[in-house]
Structures are given as structure tokens and as C-alpha cells.
Amino acid sequence: QVQLVESGGGLVQAGGSLRLSCAASGRTFSNYAMGWFRQAPGKEREFVAAISWSGANTKYADSVKGRFTISRDNAKNTVYLQMNSLNPEDTAVYYCARGLPGSSWYTGFRESYDYWGRGTQVTVSS
């Protein structure tokens, strides 16, 4: 069974930064792409960023491109999301997820991810 545990969320002022972490259980972490999604109150869960199993390929939602950076450390079974220049529209619960085998993770569709964490709250004040 795969478990994903997010951490690093909190309250930050607009323009500030946060770094989210997602720790994964299991010995096969490095075999899978990983993604970050977020869900704001009253809105659907949306794609934020994803990274291939090796870290060589990444993808970002247009809304975070240039501000957020996804990375991973396979030796630590951890994926990160560095968030800079935060604004109130980034307020949401952030989830990490494991991509399905193959290349479908690159689509950013929720259906392309199988295991999900419980999320960490990010609140950006104006």
C-alpha cells in the first residue's frame, strides 16, 4: 500500500514563499511520476505541477508557471513544490499524487493519478 503525506503548508502573506513536501512510502517511489494538485473552497481539484520518475521532465499549470518549481529526491522518497510570489488565488488545499505507469501523468488529468495524500492547507493573505 502506498501512502503519501504532505507537509509544509501554512499561512503566508502575498508575495511570500512556501515549500511543500510529500513523503511517500514504498520502495518503488522512483518508478513513478508524481504530481501536485490543489483544491480551493467551492472549486474542483486542479492540476498544479508534475514531474517524471527521473526528474528530467516537468509540467506546470499556466497559473503557476514561473512561480512554482517541482522537484524530487528519489533517495528520500520525497517530492517538493517550491512556491514563490504567492498570491491569494493560490489559497487551497494542496495534494500530492502518484502518476499511473506510462506517460499519461503529463496530461495533468486527475484520472492519470492513482494514489493521493490527504493534503496540506496553504493560505495566502493579501
Side-chain angles (χ1 to χ4, degrees):
Q1 185 74 5
V2 174
Q3 288 190 324
L4 304 175
V5 180
E6 302 94 337
S7 62
L11 174 64
V12 64
Q13 288 188 332
S17 298
L18 281 175
R19 187 195 195 202
L20 305 183
S21 299
C22 172
S25 64
R27 294 176 292 177
T28 61
F29 172 80
S30 60
N31 292 348
Y32 296 89
M34 297 294 295
W36 285 96
F37 291 73
R38 67 186 181 186
Q39 187 166 17
K43 295 187 176 181
E44 290 191 355
R45 192 170 300 188
E46 65 174 2
F47 171 77
V48 175
I51 188 167
S52 63
W53 67 271
S54 67
N57 297 297
T58 57
K59 179 169 181 171
Y60 297 92
D62 288 343
S63 59
V64 306
K65 203 171 293 183
R67 299 188 299 123
F68 291 11
T69 302
I70 188 171
S71 62
R72 66 190 295 161
D73 185 338
N74 287 340
K76 296 182 178 180
N77 279 16
T78 302
V79 61
Y80 304 97
L81 186 67
Q82 177 67 43
M83 306 186 296
N84 299 328
S85 301
L86 286 161
N87 58 62
E89 290 69 39
D90 295 315
T91 295
V93 178
Y94 283 71
Y95 300 89
C96 70
R98 191 185 78 169
L100 290 169
S103 60
S104 63
W105 65 271
Y106 199 77
T107 65
F109 295 151
R110 285 175 293 174
E111 296 75 14
S112 298
Y113 294 79
D114 54 3
Y115 288 95
W116 295 78
R118 292 189 174 184
T120 185
Q121 176 71 48
V122 172
T123 303
V124 184
S125 63
S126 57

